[in-house]
Amino acid sequence: MGKYILGIESSCDDTSAAIVEDGVLRSNIIASQKVHEAYGGVVPELASRAHQQNIIPVVHEAIRQAGIDRREITAIAFTLGPGLLGSLLVGVSFAKGLAMSLGIPIIEVNHLQAHVLAHFIRLPDADAPQPVFPFLCLLVSGGNSQIILVRTYSEMEVVGQTIDDAAGEAFDKCAKVIGLPYPGGPEVDRLAREGNPKAFRFSRPNVPGYDYSFSGLKTSFLYLLRDEIAKDSQFIDRNKADLCASLQSAIIDILMRKIKKVSLDYGIREVAIAGGVSANSGLRNAFREQATTSGWTVHIPPLAFTTDNAAMVAMSGYFKYLSGDFSSMQCSPFARQRI
Ligand code: KG4
């Protein structure tokens, strides 16, 4: 009989549940919370409430689409952290309650590791090549920007990271000041396709080692707007596409410089991207370019697995299940948790 792992993700503003059968994805349901759009960012209290409303129907649908009965579930994996505490509590408590009622074990999953392990999600009809250990993963999302050395499914080391804002925050905050809706990243990406990436030059930080920074870029973006709007009040509207293309190009440049440096110094050319910002078309192209120019073997996740999803949690749970790594009912979520 197959081993079925139910995965539950509730770390931020997506309520998601997925079923993995013997390492193959059977269902992946995501309820995204629209309630935050009006506020220009995630409101933690509203996120917790929306998770509470969504979790039962989302889990129910994941089980239904997998074509199984809930009594067939072998173990329940869930995101323990990092994330918003109130949001995490909904998923963790629900997972514990359901596991107790079914008499099955629970498996805690680190959200950041799950983003990395999204590269190992197997779909029923597709056999995409998976990364070979050791590999490097550029994890870029709304809350994190890290370069991770991945040795095994469970051994991961952060070798470089942002010292201030995450890449997604840089996209979202700059997008907000030019009037784009939240989250700004996808909007910048869309508009950047029609703009000139060389129209404006924003500052690149000079952070030693493998760390990077986005606060200087954000400030230089704001200063440019302030100076140009003083001369032309319609500046933003007249230059939106060019602003987006130039901003995106600067963010990609900052990210690529450091991951290229790590790749060279560590002698690893197996390189992956993960997290919400890995949906960015410019970043994906920059990675593909490295495959040709530097001989990288690149791993770019399908768009569905870039943002928060339970498929990656169920997959991570499956690997832990295989090594008998279960959690106790006393485990409790962490807002901050290292990889
Ligand atoms: O991993 P994720 O779903 O969750 C959080 O970290 O919360 O990442 C969300 C981030 C947001 O900042 C969003 O603007 C960014 O990913 N994002 C993008 C794109 N799609 C999502 N950034 C740039 N280009 C995109 N196409």
Side-chain angles (χ1 to χ4, degrees):
M1 207 181 80
K3 300 291 177 205
Y4 295 99
I5 309 295
L6 166 66
I8 294 177
E9 158 63 30
S10 72
S11 65
C12 190
D13 59 339
D14 293 300
T15 319
S16 182
I19 298 278
V20 158
E21 177 191 4
D22 294 330
V24 177
L25 186 66
R26 292 293 167 205
S27 62
N28 183 36
I29 308 299
I30 305 176
S32 295
Q33 303 175 0
K34 299 281 170 222
V35 64
H36 309 286
E37 279 170 13
Y39 300 90
V42 177
V43 184
E45 293 288 312
L46 297 180
S48 315
R49 185 183 298 150
H51 282 305
Q52 196 69 260
Q53 289 161 343
N54 293 340
I55 195 140
I56 291 177
V58 163
V59 170
H60 190 269
E61 187 57 17
I63 296 170
R64 194 192 69 76
Q65 281 196 17
I68 60 168
D69 184 276
R70 68 176 185 279
R71 286 176 292 264
E72 290 179 78
I73 299 170
T74 315
I76 302 179
F78 55 88
T79 302
L80 190 71
L84 300 171
L85 198 63
S87 291
L88 290 163
L89 275 165
V90 177
V92 175
S93 306
F94 183 87
K96 286 183 184 176
L98 183 58
M100 277 183 90
S101 76
L102 296 172
I104 56 175
I106 54 169
I107 303 171
E108 69 196 56
V109 168
N110 178 303
H111 181 77
L112 304 175
Q113 286 201 355
H115 269 301
V116 176
L117 296 179
H119 285 282
F120 295 92
I121 295 170
R122 284 187 2 239
L123 301 173
D125 310 315
D127 233 350
Q130 299 186 340
V132 175
F133 298 116
F135 66 94
L136 297 172
C137 185
L138 175 65
L139 173 57
V140 271
S141 68
N144 294 279
S145 290
Q146 303 178 331
I147 298 172
I148 300 158
L149 169 59
V150 189
R151 292 199 181 86
T152 66
Y153 295 121
S154 56
E155 262 180 84
M156 302 187 195
E157 184 193 336
V158 176
V159 292
Q161 59 192 324
T162 177
I163 56 169
D164 39 54
D165 287 347
E169 267 178 291
F171 270 111
D172 295 343
K173 287 178 179 170
C174 292
K176 194 173 176 181
V177 294
I178 57 169
L180 298 177
Y182 177 85
E187 287 294 312
V188 172
D189 191 358
R190 188 177 59 78
L191 285 164
R193 283 170 214 174
E194 296 144 32
N196 173 9
K198 294 197 167 86
F200 305 104
R201 165 110 195 142
F202 302 116
S203 73
R204 273 45 168 183
N206 200 5
V207 183
Y210 306 129
D211 288 342
Y212 40 87
S213 154
F214 290 106
S215 68
L217 165 67
K218 211 175 54 189
T219 311
S220 83
F221 190 79
L222 283 174
Y223 282 178
L224 175 101
L225 292 181
R226 184 198 58 188
D227 296 347
E228 295 297 331
I229 291 170
K231 292 182 251 165
D232 170 12
S233 62
Q234 301 300 306
F235 175 77
I236 292 179
D237 284 340
R238 285 194 229 281
N239 296 280
K240 222 170 232 179
D242 285 350
L243 282 167
C244 289
S246 304
L247 170 70
Q248 179 168 302
S249 149
I251 294 175
I252 294 171
D253 194 24
I254 293 169
L255 292 171
M256 291 309 291
R257 277 187 200 183
K258 291 298 167 105
I259 185 87
K260 282 197 246 177
K261 190 169 159 58
V262 177
S263 161
L264 234 104
D265 292 355
Y266 280 71
I268 298 176
R269 286 187 292 178
E270 187 90 15
V271 193
I273 37 173
V277 179
S278 72
N280 186 267
S281 58
L283 185 60
R284 290 173 161 244
N285 287 339
F287 259 66
R288 288 191 194 103
E289 237 174 80
Q290 286 304 308
T292 337
T293 56
S294 307
W296 285 10
T297 303
V298 298
H299 298 276
I300 299 171
L303 284 175
F305 304 138
T306 56
T307 45
D308 292 346
N309 65 86
M312 65 186 194
V313 177
M315 203 63 219
S316 307
Y318 176 69
F319 293 128
K320 284 191 152 191
Y321 172 82
L322 292 181
S323 50
D325 189 359
F326 300 109
S327 302
S328 104
M329 281 290 171
Q330 270 73 47
C331 71
S332 59
F334 292 98
R336 291 182 182 277
Q337 195 183 21
R338 284 185 66 81
I339 204 155

